[in-house]
Amino acid sequence: MYDTFQQYLDSKITLTSDEKELIRSVSILKKLRKKQYLLQEGDVWKYHAFITKGCMRTYAVDDKGIEHIIYFGVENWWIGDRESLLNQTPSRLNIDAIEDVEVVLFTAPNFDMLCAKIPDFRDMIQAIISKSFNVNQTRILASISKSAEEKYLDFIQKYADFAMRIPQAMIASYLGIKPETLSRIRNGIAKK
């Protein structure tokens, strides 16, 4: 499990053997079964999490019991609730496993220590946060300006490598449309 994370780091930055050992020494390995929670609404998020195997989702449930998925995470992606982590407030989100999952966790203090002691690690994380901000900004713009069909076509184009692993109802939730609408869109595309 950890080897996958080390390969990811090696593909992004150059680390000394001491730096690699420091990172490994503070990592926490965790396995989750399908539908098991990594974070539940109301809990305070205390980690930085890297997915080494499987697929996860981050979502909120509204007053009517409707799920609103804001993020999917797969192998070699980070996942968590940044707002809860930074403010140390109860999370408004849930994170659970769509498939069996393996993650590498770092407590916030240990993660901050790694960023302070390993400048290349810190720079990598800053680049990831910047990219994430840009992706979220693009997603918000698409959600308010594109049709349901355009949003779906964008999704399957951008995430073709894992879109088939996610149930259609979850994709509909992520896109902000009803499952029936997504079904009609998919049928229409198939007929073209």
Side-chain angles (χ1 to χ4, degrees), residues 15-134:
L15 297 165
T16 67
S17 56
D18 286 345
E19 290 169 336
K20 288 179 182 182
E21 183 50 40
L22 178 61
I23 294 168
R24 187 192 260 305
S25 72
V26 296
S27 66
I28 302 164
L29 307 180
K30 186 171 182 74
K31 292 183 179 185
L32 300 169
R33 292 178 312 280
K34 183 178 180 177
K35 297 185 179 181
Q36 191 173 359
Y37 287 97
L38 182 61
L39 171 67
Q40 285 187 276
E41 179 182 356
D43 294 342
V44 176
W45 179 242
K46 299 176 186 212
Y47 301 98
H48 293 265
F50 180 84
I51 304 168
T52 60
K53 177 185 170 195
C55 182
M56 305 187 81
R57 65 182 175 148
T58 302
Y59 65 99
V61 179
D62 68 19
D63 294 340
K64 297 176 185 172
I66 298 171
E67 293 179 358
H68 301 279
I69 298 174
I70 61 169
Y71 183 79
F72 291 112
V74 294
E75 295 86 2
N76 293 334
W77 289 23
W78 294 85
I79 196 163
D81 180 352
R82 196 156 176 75
E83 178 184 31
S84 177
L85 179 71
L86 293 176
N87 297 327
Q88 285 298 286
T89 54
S91 180
R92 298 181 290 164
L93 304 172
N94 298 287
I95 302 173
D96 68 11
I98 296 172
E99 304 168 345
D100 289 349
V101 169
E102 296 176 356
V103 293
V104 178
L105 300 171
F106 298 92
T107 62
N110 282 336
F111 195 82
D112 292 344
M113 177 270 299
L114 292 174
C115 288
K117 289 189 174 187
I118 307 172
D120 285 350
F121 185 83
R122 180 196 61 230
D123 293 347
M124 177 191 75
I125 296 302
Q126 288 302 321
I128 291 166
I129 291 169
S130 293
K131 182 178 178 184
S132 177
F133 179 84
N134 292 338

